[in-house]
């Protein structure tokens, strides 16, 4: 039996990072990074399409590496680290996607839903739990609901059999105080563990992750060089270093994770994630970073300021899948500008 | 030995020398509303044993929405001449046996996944169901007593202490959707009291804590069932958290005997805890289950156990059951685990 009090690091470089390269990570990329992360002692390495298992499609972006190949390659190159997958019910079905993935040796299944829709995870969580693998629930875009409502949704995941709940700052919107309140509410209200997944739109991914840990979270997500959607995630090697300075154990070798990050920069990234002006706005507006490309394109088409579009989308609480609203908002802003000009 | 012989032996072991305490059940009609679940099935096993071995002549009616599944799963009970299945929703009890002497109201879905996903439906079955049972009971001319199965959770979270929760504990579950089940059960207890006050229905309340044994579905997300399920599938046993949460477990045949004893010997208005007072950590529960398998499965704790581990517990104080009803735990914890594992292994062939 093993039991200790460390902070578990889950590394979605090869999943969230796929967003940053249009899901074009290759089998060679996956093999090389898995080997490096495994050598560094990363607890969980997440692999797959940016939107998770079964999400490769024309609309969301087709994966260069099919799920089966990605998981096979990752499994071959992970000996100590656990192999994790991100599963959004609907994109991933139990029969077509989840069963084959588990057969390939997945250790950790993270079943994710929009923060107010935990109900859709019941079957996927229960099924994964019944197959003897580790199961976590993930609540995305968690800033969109209050800590109390977040707890209600997390409790659903707990009741379905999740071993922990990760709340995600998908839009990079949080301030440390927002994170603290949510972690405290979850820790006090759940019997299972609490994790946090940061995005760096406001440059607070590390600070927010530390706020989470100091409030009782025991799992953090971090990506090499912050490689992830939009402005990127909490930068893994920095996170490990800061946790070490603060006296938390991660089980990760600092030099080896620095090497893994260097490797990731060299082979995975066309460019290192940075906080562009539009990312700051999407973070402030609380809109998913994946909207940056369509917002920029449509704003240009209607000759409106993409920042205004983002703030209006934020006011309307738009979530992924509602991209059509961008057009509506841009049209309205253009019309308003025309009227004001008359 | 097969599964049926195993459960019959369990019943005879409990009844041996104690059947006289259930003497009032002779030649009577007993209705169990919500009778095809774990509790109803064990009551059916005990009633069948009383009829076969002690010639009690009990006529048992099991009412439930799931009688078809029960008949398929348990033909040895469903096909008996002294057991009658009535398919019915507790909220619409049109086909209720009107000559019932005894009624046990056990209708509720105990699955925490359903409570989380469908809290309004959960409350509807419990609250409207209890109202329906009480309205029906008003018309039962031969009714001697009605036992309502509430929940050990109605007094809210238990503070960490060495003592169990007594029947007169003053706490209450938080008024939140996540606690719809204990809140609805608590309100159903109030409905029982109201029916007693207004219509003189002789109703008493049993508060079940955690049970274990054959007939408990292994796909339910409780510690004992998931640990058994893990071990039976040859997986490591996965313990959530640090394994220090404390629960206690009463074996199925013990529980059924307790309930029948409370039903027949209890006074209207009484409230009685039903469970084992012997606490066990989930870590030790996992170890005890693992001991019964060869090879013994590994026990794994959560990847990220919280550093400030909790000592949450849910234990009944059973002094009242012991002193007033002469009840005690007849199947010790280790024996209960062994029998449960044996039964599941027999089922798996």
């Amino acid at each position: 039996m093993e039991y200790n009090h460390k902070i578990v690091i889950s590394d979605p470089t090869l999943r969230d990072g796929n967003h940053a390269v249009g899901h074009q990570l290759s089998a060679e990329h996956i093999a090389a990074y898995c080997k490096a992360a495994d050598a560094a002692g990363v607890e969980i390495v997440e692999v797959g399409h940016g939107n998770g298992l079964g999400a490769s499609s024309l609309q969301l972006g087709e994966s260069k590496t099919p799920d089966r190949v990605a998981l096979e390659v990752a499994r071959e190159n992970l000996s100590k680290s656990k192999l994790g997958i991100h599963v959004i019910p609907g994109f991933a079905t139990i029969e077509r996607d989840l069963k084959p993935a588990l057969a390939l040796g997945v250790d950790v299944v993270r079943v994710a839903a929009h923060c107010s829709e935990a109900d859709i995870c019941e079957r996927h969580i229960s099924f994964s739990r019944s197959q003897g693998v580790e199961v976590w629930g993930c609540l995305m875009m968690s800033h969109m609901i209050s800590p109390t409502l977040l707890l209600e949704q997390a409790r659903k995941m707990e009741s379905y059999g999740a071993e922990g709940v990760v709340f995600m700052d998908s839009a990079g919107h949080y301030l440390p105080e927002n994170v603290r309140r949510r972690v405290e509410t979850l820790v006090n209200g759940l019997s299972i563990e609490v994790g946090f997944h940061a995005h760096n739109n406001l440059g607070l991914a590390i600070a927010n992750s530390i706020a989470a840990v100091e409030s009782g979270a025991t799992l953090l997500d971090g990506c090499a060089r912050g490689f992830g959607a939009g402005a990127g995630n909490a930068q893994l090697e920095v996170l490990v270093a800061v946790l070490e300075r603060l006296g938390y154990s991660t089980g990760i070798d600092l030099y080896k994770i620095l090497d893994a990050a260097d490797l990731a920069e060299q082979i995975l990234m066309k460019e290192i994630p940075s906080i562009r002006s539009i990312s700051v706005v999407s973070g402030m507006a609380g809109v998913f970073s994946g909207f940056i490309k369509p917002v920029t394109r449509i704003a240009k088409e209607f000759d409106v300021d993409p920042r205004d579009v983002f703030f209006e989308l934020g006011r309307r609480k738009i979530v992924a899948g509602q991209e059509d609203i961008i057009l509506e908002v841009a049209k309205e802003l253009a019309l308003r500008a025309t009227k004001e000009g008359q | 030995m097969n599964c049926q012989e195993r459960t019959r032996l369990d019943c005879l072991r409990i009844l041996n020398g104690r059947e006289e305490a259930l003497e009032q059940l002779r030649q009577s009609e007993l209705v169990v509303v919500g009778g095809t679940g774990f509790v109803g099935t064990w009551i059916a096993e005990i009633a069948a044993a009383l009829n076969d071995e002690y010639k009690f002549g009990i006529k048992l009616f099991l009412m439930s929405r799931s009688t078809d599944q029960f008949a398929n799963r348990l033909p040895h009970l469903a096909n008996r001449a002294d057991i009658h299945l009535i398919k019915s929703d507790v909220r619409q009890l049109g086909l209720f046996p009107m000559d019932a002497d005894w009624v046990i109201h056990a209708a509720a879905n105990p699955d925490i996944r359903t409570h989380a996903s469908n809290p309004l439906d959960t409350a509807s079955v419990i609250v409207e169901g209890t109202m329906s049972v009480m309205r029906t009971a008003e018309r039962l001319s031969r009714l001697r007593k009605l036992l309502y199965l509430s929940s050990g959770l109605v007094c809210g979270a238990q503070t960490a202490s060495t003592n169990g929760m007594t029947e007169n504990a003053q706490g209450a579950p938080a008024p939140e959707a996540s606690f719809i089940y204990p809140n609805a059960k608590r309100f159903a207890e109030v409905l029982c009291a109201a029916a007693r006050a207004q219509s003189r229905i002789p109703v008493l309340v049993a508060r079940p804590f955690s049970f274990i044994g054959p007939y408990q579905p292994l796909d339910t997300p409780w510690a004992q069932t998931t640990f058994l399920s893990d071990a039976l599938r040859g997986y490591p046993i996965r313990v959530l958290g640090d394994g220090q949460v404390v629960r206690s477990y009463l074996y199925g045949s013990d529980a059924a005997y307790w309930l029948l004893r409370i039903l027949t010997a209890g006074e209207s208005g009484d409230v009685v805890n039903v469970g084992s007072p012997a606490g066990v950590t989930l870590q030790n529960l996992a170890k005890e289950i693992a001991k019964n398998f060869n090879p013994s499965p590994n026990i794994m704790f959560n990847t990220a156990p919280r550093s400030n581990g909790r000592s949450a517990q849910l234990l009944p104080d059973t002094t009242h059951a012991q002193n007033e009803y002469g009840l005690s735990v007849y199947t010790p914890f280790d024996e209960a685990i062994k029998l449960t594992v044996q039964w599941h292994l027999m089922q798996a062939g």
Side-chain angles (χ1 to χ4, degrees), chain A residues 297-325:
Chain A
R297 177 173 51 77
I298 293 169
K300 194 174 176 185
E301 197 177 314
F302 284 86
D303 194 23
V304 293
D305 191 327
R307 295 170 293 192
D308 291 341
V309 176
F310 260 117
F311 281 120
E312 182 56 26
L313 291 171
R315 270 190 286 275
R316 294 190 188 192
K317 297 186 181 302
I318 299 307
V319 299
Q322 294 179 306
E323 283 82 349
D324 289 355
I325 308 289

Side-chain angles (χ1 to χ4, degrees), chain B residues 125-317:
Chain B
V125 169
I126 295 170
V127 175
E128 293 173 40
T130 301
M131 187 68 88
S132 161
V133 170
M134 294 305 142
R135 289 297 187 200
T136 304
E138 287 173 336
R139 296 183 284 121
L140 299 178
S141 57
R142 285 175 49 176
L143 181 66
R144 293 159 75 176
K145 244 169 289 171
L146 189 157
L147 177 66
Y148 174 59
L149 260 63
S150 178
S151 165
L153 300 167
V154 294
C155 292
Q158 192 173 356
T159 51
S161 75
T162 50
N163 300 320
M165 184 92 81
T166 60
E167 285 86 350
N168 56 8
Q170 292 301 306
E176 297 171 15
S178 314
F179 300 108
I180 192 75
Y181 181 79
N183 273 304
K185 284 281 186 180
R186 188 177 173 86
F187 184 62
E189 283 196 21
V190 179
L191 289 177
C192 291
R196 196 166 51 239
Q198 181 177 318
S199 307
R200 305 294 180 267
I201 294 171
V203 57
L204 60 162
V205 170
R207 288 189 185 149
F209 284 67
S210 303
F211 297 153
I212 196 166
Y215 304 131
Q216 213 164 31
L218 294 182
D219 62 352
T220 46
W222 301 320
Q224 71 272 33
T225 48
T226 48
F227 293 178
L228 277 165
S229 175
D230 285 342
L232 285 162
R233 288 163 178 262
Y235 299 144
I237 294 177
R238 303 188 60 79
V239 182
L240 304 192
D242 59 7
Q244 295 310 302
V245 169
V246 175
R247 291 286 182 273
S248 68
Y249 296 98
L250 188 67
Y251 192 65
S253 54
D254 291 39
Y257 177 80
W258 278 48
L259 293 171
L260 292 173
R261 172 73 183 146
I262 293 164
L263 171 70
T264 52
E267 289 187 0
S268 178
D270 203 5
V271 178
V272 191
N273 284 340
V274 176
S276 166
V280 57
T281 63
L282 295 189
Q283 179 175 353
N284 286 338
L285 171 66
K287 281 183 185 170
E288 193 62 42
I289 289 173
K291 238 169 62 180
N292 284 279
F293 287 86
N294 189 16
S296 180
N298 289 329
I299 298 170
M300 294 171 66
F301 292 90
N302 196 293
T303 297
R306 216 178 276 176
S307 52
N308 58 342
R310 281 141 298 170
S311 57
Q313 67 172 27
L314 182 65
L315 291 180
D317 181 319

Side-chain angles (χ1 to χ4, degrees), chain A residues 12 21 24 29-30 38 42 47 50 59 90-91 95 115 125-126 135 179 203 219 224 237-238 268 283 285 305 314 326:
Chain A
V21 289
Q24 294 304 300
H29 292 146
I30 293 166
D38 191 72
V42 173
V47 175
Q59 195 170 3
F91 293 150
E95 288 297 326
C115 56
I125 291 177
S126 298
V135 192
V179 175
L219 180 138
E237 63 279 17
V238 178
L268 304 183
D305 191 327
I326 301 171

Side-chain angles (χ1 to χ4, degrees), chain A residues 142-162:
Chain A
S142 62
H143 70 281
M144 295 186 78
I145 57 175
S146 69
T148 304
L149 296 186
L150 191 66
L151 174 61
E152 284 183 5
Q153 297 299 316
R155 279 183 173 149
K156 289 181 184 178
M157 290 180 150
E158 178 178 24
S159 77
Y160 303 151

